[in-house]
Amino acid sequence: MTEVTGAARDLRVLQRVVMPVDRDLDVLKLYVEGRIARGAAALEAERAVEDDIARAVDRPGAPPAELAAEDVGRRSVVVPIGSRVSFATYFNAFPAGYWRRWTTVEEVVLRVRLRGQANVIVYRSSAKGHIQRVASVRIDSRESREETFRLSLQPFIDGGWYWLDVLAGENTAVLERADWCVEAGEAGRVRQGRVSLGITTFNRPSFCVDQLLALGDAPEVLDIVDEIYVVDQGTERVRDHEGYPRAAEALGARLRVIEQPNLGGSGGFARAMDETLRAGTSDYVLLLDDDVVTESEGVLRAVAFGDHARTPTIVGGHMFNLFVRSQLHAYGETIQRYRWWWDAAPHTRREHDFARPANPLTADLPQDASPASKRASTGSLLETKWLHRRVDVDYNGWWMCLIPVDVMRKVGLSMPMFIKWDDAEYCVRAGAAGFPTVSLPGMAAWHVPWQDKDDGIDWQAYFHERNRLVTALLHSPYERGGNLVKESFIISVKHALSLQYSTAELMLWAIEDVLRGPDHMHAEIAGKLPEILAFRAAFPDAQNRPSHERFPQVRRRKPPKRGRDPKPPSGRAALLATAAIGTLKQMRPVDAGARANPQAVIPHIDRHWGVLSQFDSALVSSADGMKVAWYQRDPERFKKIMKRTSLLHARLSREWPELSRGYRAAMADLAAPETWRRTFGAAEPGDR
């Protein structure tokens, strides 16, 4: 049932309609579709001038009008004469399907305050992306007028959205505010939740201070924040940044900077989780990366969603590309259980760009879409049908993730993984205990994209391998981890064929540590990274330089066969043939000239094992385009790696059942606050 009424009282806001903080045109389509004249600040300045003129006429000498705080900033939109704007957008449409599935809310109230001449039209969509007009009201008033729409969530069991359009008439229309609410009668049973924020940082003081300053400019967010924990694990301290005093002044007693040794993301987030538990005042902790730009409204939305959730629920925010700000990294993420690897959720596509024109080939997604079909797609919310289906996830990244205190009391803190897999493991562990994870549309942060990182082959390769194995040992439903051990072996061979010996060695080191059992994880969390960096530094593939000119000139004794440079294999037969040929080549002596001069320049985009395995040496660029390394073939090293990887993977498969029992038995202790406090004991008491 839909009912349009006049002004309503006693409403609790679930989601506010907002505009971008800095009116950034790159993100405008995430907030509004259509032509708008100007924002709230210009509007209210104009109104203040009008009021001053009126006061001067009516009451000479009267003081200028003061603007109400709630009317200034991000809430208002001016719609020019005859124009239409739509809030069927990522940040301002209401994700009804998620509220229907995961919360106790059965009906929402859209509250609109508007002046001028306009039609306000409310629409909804189904999980299939079909659109229906729901209700409308006409407003023609020079004074602000408030209207409400009572909207049922009953039809949204599989997904769908609500949104509003504003169509201006012969006069300009001013949308002063719009909110998606729940009636106090229903919300009265739900207490307003309180939250603490946990930001883990390592040598990114500028990013971190900017984030603190942004929070200081969001008083409505600070109203529900108890503490802001900045866990600083770097050598470039946040408190030494020139902007820190301003941030500290804006945030006041809420801000606590905790300095501790580098325990990685898992150690920093575990510290924030533990501090929240020990303080005992917050209902949630919201974890944030240090290198993100956060949409502060997401904090309010996450807490509102958590407050109304049927059961304590982890509420995660989406990640947008910091460099292409209208591009969504993933709409939801799952774990392929048989491979035990991350993947985009079924029925979604990666890297969706809301600002680019729609591509009809990617606007819809077949029911049986394979991972290969999950290419980047484009188009607005209205143009992209698959965005209307509710997407259920296994985990959410900790770039922005709300965790209820009740969940932490039941399942503990993060695993001592340093980095990689800690967020996925935690959500899987919580899910097994009955606490779901929801990636909530409209809650998001902008983060540096993964495609410009080499974390799969640099020092982080150790943590990728170890923590993937540990997470599978803890949670995989398959005997001996499904296909994981086989896949791990193949990956190690690919790195060896690619002349990435440091990466292959780190993978084998990780397997050796996993075979030692779970006790090494807390014991070595603070010292493992320096060991890895020192070990890796001796390998040519890990010795980067800023340009090709820092290496000897490229020279090749023999030209390529038939003038054709190596290319990645295509098809199973070609793949197997290339692997066999590449393996045989690794056994042969290295061309003497290749030791003195690299044989080729390989751009990062062409860095494939099928290409690299055909050279004795090559200059290979990094993912970020900043560095170059001289890869050099080493037959003896290759033989040793192949022998070790065969033996270690065979042992891992053989001992998997026993290892799994051991890690699962230790799981509660590894994540326990008391265990983490002993690990934190190595830190100096740097609370400020």
Side-chain angles (χ1 to χ4, degrees):
M1 181 186 72
T2 302
E3 181 182 350
V4 183
T5 64
R9 297 180 180 179
D10 300 326
L11 297 177
R12 178 180 176 183
V13 176
L14 305 177
Q15 177 177 314
R16 308 190 307 174
V17 171
V18 295
M19 297 296 289
V21 173
D22 53 3
R23 297 284 160 161
D24 186 345
L25 294 179
D26 287 342
V27 301
L28 192 59
K29 282 187 173 290
L30 299 178
Y31 294 83
V32 64
E33 291 279 352
R35 187 168 68 92
I36 59 176
R38 55 200 185 282
L43 164 68
E44 296 306 329
E46 177 185 297
R47 290 185 63 182
V49 171
E50 292 175 352
D51 289 344
D52 286 346
I53 293 173
R55 287 168 184 265
V57 173
D58 297 337
R59 290 181 296 151
E66 294 186 2
L67 302 182
E70 66 177 6
D71 290 334
V72 178
R74 309 175 59 192
R75 305 300 311 282
S76 300
V77 173
V78 178
V79 185
I81 295 172
S83 296
R84 181 174 191 149
V85 299
S86 177
F87 295 94
T89 58
Y90 174 83
F91 279 117
N92 283 324
F94 184 76
Y98 292 80
W99 285 85
R100 169 72 165 87
R101 171 66 179 88
W102 300 109
T103 75
T104 59
V105 176
E106 298 178 353
E107 181 182 78
V108 293
V109 178
L110 171 60
R111 179 176 61 192
V112 177
R113 191 170 75 193
L114 188 143
R115 64 186 175 90
Q117 189 180 89
N119 286 318
V120 178
I121 310 170
V122 180
Y123 294 91
R124 76 171 182 87
S125 66
S126 69
K128 299 175 182 178
H130 300 157
I131 299 170
Q132 298 179 24
R133 177 168 171 154
V134 176
S136 65
V137 66
R138 179 172 175 78
I139 295 175
D140 190 353
S141 173
R142 295 185 62 184
E143 302 299 324
S144 298
R145 179 173 153 189
E146 187 172 291
E147 296 285 350
T148 59
F149 302 81
R150 296 166 59 92
L151 305 166
S152 173
L153 294 185
Q154 199 66 27
F156 296 95
I157 196 165
D158 290 328
W161 302 72
Y162 275 123
W163 66 89
L164 73 147
D165 285 8
V166 178
L167 175 60
E170 296 178 356
N171 294 316
T172 297
V174 180
L175 178 66
E176 296 182 353
R177 63 187 294 172
D179 306 291
W180 301 94
C181 311
V182 62
E183 282 194 340
E186 187 172 354
R189 301 190 297 271
V190 179
R191 182 177 63 85
Q192 170 64 59
R194 306 284 303 173
V195 64
S196 289
L197 309 185
I199 304 171
T200 296
T201 184
F202 180 84
N203 289 351
R204 289 193 179 102
S206 294
F207 256 115
C208 193
V209 168
D210 285 347
Q211 190 167 176
L212 295 176
L213 289 169
L215 288 168
D217 289 336
E220 64 285 347
V221 174
L222 295 181
D223 285 344
I224 64 169
V225 172
D226 290 321
E227 304 274 357
I228 300 174
Y229 300 107
V230 176
V231 185
D232 192 346
Q233 304 183 129
T235 55
E236 300 173 25
R237 296 298 191 186
V238 170
R239 60 184 170 83
D240 294 332
H241 189 273
E242 60 183 4
Y244 176 76
R246 287 191 295 121
E249 181 180 2
L251 298 173
R254 295 183 183 86
L255 178 60
R256 290 181 57 197
V257 176
I258 301 169
E259 296 174 354
Q260 68 179 29
N262 185 15
L263 305 180
S266 61
F269 287 132
R271 184 65 181 267
M273 296 162 85
D274 186 51
E275 294 291 339
T276 301
L277 282 175
R278 296 176 73 172
T281 57
S282 295
D283 303 287
Y284 312 95
V285 61
L286 179 69
L287 305 181
L288 293 167
D289 268 348
D290 60 349
D291 57 346
V292 298
V293 176
T294 305
E295 170 49 81
S296 59
E297 283 291 311
V299 180
L300 299 173
R301 296 176 183 185
V303 171
F305 194 90
D307 287 349
H308 290 87
R310 288 191 175 90
T311 188
T313 298
I314 297 172
V315 186
H318 287 135
M319 176 188 134
F320 280 86
N321 187 333
L322 187 61
F323 303 141
V324 184
R325 301 192 68 188
S326 56
Q327 186 183 81
L328 180 67
H329 163 62
Y331 199 50
E333 296 187 277
T334 56
I335 294 173
Q336 294 184 32
R337 292 302 204 268
Y338 191 63
R339 295 181 57 215
W340 205 259
W341 188 244
W342 308 303
D343 196 9
H347 314 291
T348 69
R349 295 185 187 272
R350 287 195 182 276
E351 316 303 341
H352 178 79
D353 194 327
F354 286 88
R356 292 175 59 194
N359 181 350
L361 298 178
T362 60
D364 204 356
L365 200 65
Q367 297 294 315
D368 60 347
S370 65
S373 72
K374 295 176 184 177
R375 299 171 182 170
S377 66
T378 59
S380 68
L381 178 62
L382 290 184
E383 295 168 325
T384 312
K385 290 186 176 182
W386 62 263
L387 288 169
H388 295 256
R389 177 173 180 156
R390 190 192 72 250
V391 172
D392 297 334
V393 302
D394 289 331
Y395 71 97
N396 199 96
W398 280 357
W399 47 76
M400 186 180 193
C401 192
L402 183 92
I403 303 176
V405 166
D406 288 343
V407 174
M408 293 189 287
R409 292 194 181 111
K410 180 70 179 290
V411 305
L413 312 183
S414 170
M415 280 287 165
M417 291 180 164
F418 196 80
I419 57 168
K420 305 302 177 187
W421 283 94
D422 46 355
D423 45 13
E425 187 284 326
Y426 192 89
C427 292
V428 172
R429 181 169 19 123
F435 304 117
T437 296
V438 176
S439 293
L440 182 65
M443 172 189 176
W446 288 269
H447 191 287
V448 176
W450 314 129
Q451 58 259 38
D452 289 335
K453 296 185 178 182
D454 275 323
D455 61 345
I457 65 167
D458 64 10
W459 59 269
Q460 298 171 83
Y462 169 89
F463 297 104
H464 269 294
E465 175 72 2
R466 187 197 65 173
N467 296 340
R468 182 185 181 189
L469 291 172
V470 168
T471 307
L473 286 164
L474 291 170
H475 303 293
S476 174
Y478 292 98
E479 185 179 3
R480 303 184 194 279
N483 204 49
L484 173 55
V485 176
K486 175 183 175 182
E487 189 170 306
S488 173
F489 172 76
I490 292 172
I491 292 172
S492 69
V493 172
K494 285 182 178 179
H495 286 307
L497 288 171
S498 300
L499 319 185
Q500 296 165 345
Y501 301 125
S502 68
T503 306
E505 292 282 9
L506 289 179
M507 287 186 65
L508 301 184
W509 187 359
I511 296 171
E512 289 173 337
D513 283 351
V514 169
L515 291 167
R516 289 164 52 202
D519 291 345
H520 78 279
M521 297 185 72
H522 267 290
E524 299 177 4
I525 190 171
K528 181 61 71 174
L529 178 58
E531 292 179 22
I532 291 171
L533 295 177
F535 171 78
R536 186 170 176 267
F539 290 84
D541 60 284
Q543 297 170 7
N544 293 295
R545 301 289 183 268
S547 71
H548 296 87
E549 284 66 36
R550 300 289 294 273
F551 296 99
Q553 184 178 358
V554 174
R555 187 173 298 152
R556 193 169 180 177
R557 188 170 60 86
K558 290 183 179 181
K561 187 176 182 180
R562 297 180 182 176
R564 298 174 183 172
D565 289 322
K567 294 182 180 180
S570 177
R572 181 175 177 83
L575 186 147
L576 293 174
T578 302
I581 294 170
T583 301
L584 290 174
K585 182 176 177 61
Q586 306 310 308
M587 305 298 183
R588 298 171 185 162
V590 176
D591 187 308
R595 296 188 184 280
N597 297 85
Q599 293 179 322
V601 172
I602 308 294
H604 178 268
I605 196 171
D606 298 326
R607 192 185 65 184
H608 187 277
W609 66 267
V611 174
L612 292 168
S613 63
Q614 306 304 308
F615 292 98
D616 285 343
S617 70
L619 298 181
V620 184
S621 53
S622 61
D624 60 6
M626 300 284 288
K627 303 179 292 292
V628 180
W630 185 4
Y631 287 19
Q632 301 177 42
R633 187 164 68 83
D634 185 336
E636 292 304 314
R637 172 75 69 177
F638 179 83
K639 293 174 186 177
K640 291 178 181 178
I641 288 174
M642 292 302 294
K643 181 179 179 179
R644 287 181 63 218
T645 192
S646 299
L647 293 173
L648 284 172
H649 281 92
R651 181 184 170 192
L652 180 62
S653 180
R654 185 173 61 252
E655 298 181 11
W656 187 278
E658 183 180 354
L659 280 169
S660 180
R661 287 191 292 272
Y663 276 90
R664 294 184 189 207
M667 180 167 60
D669 183 63
L670 288 171
E674 296 77 16
T675 308
W676 269 110
R677 288 166 194 166
R678 290 193 292 272
T679 300
F680 297 145
E684 292 293 329
D687 238 353
R688 296 177 183 272

